[in-house]
């Protein structure tokens, strides 16, 4: 019992220790996730790069570009209102000499803007960097998946515990990847069975994300906070074994599609 309490105390202290202002990057996991020489993990603010697992187009390019820029280099870190996430990672802007890493990724088409209020960022300059890459059709902007309005950055089909008792534990995070405000009522989402749910009347600013819960709740429409909507289902929407989320606009054009399969599913 005493050992458990000691372990929890250490974990708490590790999560809430003061965030460093500088450090040396000793490892680059992917384009937006790094490790400092003090052991801290960093999740980059303001930009989201393609995933490595499952592999997405330009994921390796983003990782390698960041590694060339910052690996074994001293960087300066700045923070918003949220300094650490639920995993204990630093949520930081990263700068090396004249380069802001998020801006560098956006300018080269290796990331899209990714804003979750109340984080305060220089959103106009980050959006301008993204628009520049979009206009040149470089990197991610050269492939069909990004020729749309909305992009799913994460898909949590399997809620913690019993899904039927935790319907809102199922959620998808969606980002407006255009340069202007969109209204979600012009879109809907569909599962692999073909069941559909309309999105509510809610404005989502350029670069901002919205958290889409399966169950019931009150929509959070204040753009100064994390936007959240509830699809209103009385039962789980997504199958834990295999599913596919597809977002359409009202002209039935696919905006984005994301699959879910258990990470440890045995191969046939």
């Amino acid at each position: 019992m005493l050992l458990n309490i000691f372990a929890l105390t250490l974990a708490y202290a590790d999560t809430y220790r003061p965030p460093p202002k500088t450090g040396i990057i000793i490892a680059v996991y992917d384009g937006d996730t790094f490790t400092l020489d003090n052991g801290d993990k960093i999740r980059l603010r303001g930009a989201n790069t393609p995933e490595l697992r499952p592999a997405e187009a330009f994921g390796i390019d983003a990782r390698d570009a960041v590694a060339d820029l910052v690996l074994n280099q001293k960087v300066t870190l700045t923070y918003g209102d949220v300094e650490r996430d639920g995993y204990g990672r630093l949520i930081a802007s990263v700068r090396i000499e004249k380069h802001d890493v998020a801006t560098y990724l956006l300018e080269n088409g290796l990331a899209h803007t990714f804003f979750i209020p109340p984080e305060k960022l220089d959103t106009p300059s980050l959006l301008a960097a993204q628009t520049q890459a979009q206009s040149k059709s470089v990197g991610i902007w050269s492939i069909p998946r990004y020729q749309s309005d909305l992009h799913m950055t994460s898909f949590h089909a399997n809620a913690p515990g019993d899904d039927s008792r935790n319907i809102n534990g199922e959620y998808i995070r969606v980002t407006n990847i255009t340069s202007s405000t969109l209204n979600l009522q012009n879109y809907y989402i569909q599962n692999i069975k073909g069941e559909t749910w309309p999105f509510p009347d809610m404005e989502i600013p350029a670069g901002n994300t919205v958290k889409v819960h399966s169950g019931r709740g009150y929509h959070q429409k204040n753009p100064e906070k994390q936007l959240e909507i509830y699809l209103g289902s009385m039962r789980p929407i997504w199958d834990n074994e295999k599913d596919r989320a597809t977002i359409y606009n009202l002209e039935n054009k696919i905006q984005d599609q994301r699959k879910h399969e258990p990470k440890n599913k045995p191969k046939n």
Side-chain angles (χ1 to χ4, degrees), residues 197-214:
W197 291 264
F199 286 161
D201 180 3
M202 174 189 286
E203 291 192 337
I204 175 171
N208 279 41
T209 73
V210 58
K211 198 172 182 181
V212 182
H213 299 278
S214 294

Side-chain angles (χ1 to χ4, degrees), residues 165-266:
R165 295 177 178 272
N166 185 22
I167 299 173
N168 283 329
E170 292 186 339
Y171 71 89
I172 295 173
R173 198 180 293 279
V174 180
T175 302
N176 172 3
I177 58 174
T178 75
S179 57
S180 58
T181 297
L182 299 175
N183 195 308
L184 286 177
Q185 68 179 341
N186 295 315
Y187 308 88
Y188 66 93
I189 195 165
Q190 183 180 85
N191 65 13
I192 200 169
K193 297 177 182 177
E195 300 171 322
T196 63
W197 291 264
F199 286 161
D201 180 3
M202 174 189 286
E203 291 192 337
I204 175 171
N208 279 41
T209 73
V210 58
K211 198 172 182 181
V212 182
H213 299 278
S214 294
R216 292 185 168 189
Y218 294 100
H219 306 316
Q220 201 305 101
K221 297 186 177 185
N222 182 354
E224 295 182 359
K225 301 178 182 179
Q226 165 70 78
L227 298 173
E228 297 186 73
I229 63 173
Y230 296 82
L231 300 179
S233 179
M234 296 289 290
R235 56 177 175 77
I237 288 175
W238 311 109
D239 191 305
N240 292 346
E241 294 304 314
K242 183 177 181 179
D243 218 317
R244 181 182 64 241
T246 308
I247 297 176
Y248 294 87
N249 64 16
L250 297 186
E251 286 73 45
N252 298 318
K253 179 181 178 181
I254 292 177
Q255 300 299 295
D256 196 18
Q257 192 171 80
R258 198 174 184 95
K259 295 180 180 179
H260 164 74
E261 288 185 351
K263 293 181 180 179
N264 297 323
K265 184 177 180 179

Side-chain angles (χ1 to χ4, degrees), residues 142-163:
S142 67
I143 59 178
R145 188 177 182 195
Y146 291 87
Q147 309 302 312
S148 60
D149 300 336
L150 300 174
H151 177 76
M152 287 179 275
T153 62
S154 60
F155 183 12
H156 298 268
N158 189 356
D162 184 346
D163 287 22

Side-chain angles (χ1 to χ4, degrees), residues 82-93:
V82 178
E83 296 176 338
R84 293 183 186 272
D85 65 11
Y87 302 102
R89 298 181 303 180
L90 299 171
I91 307 300
S93 297

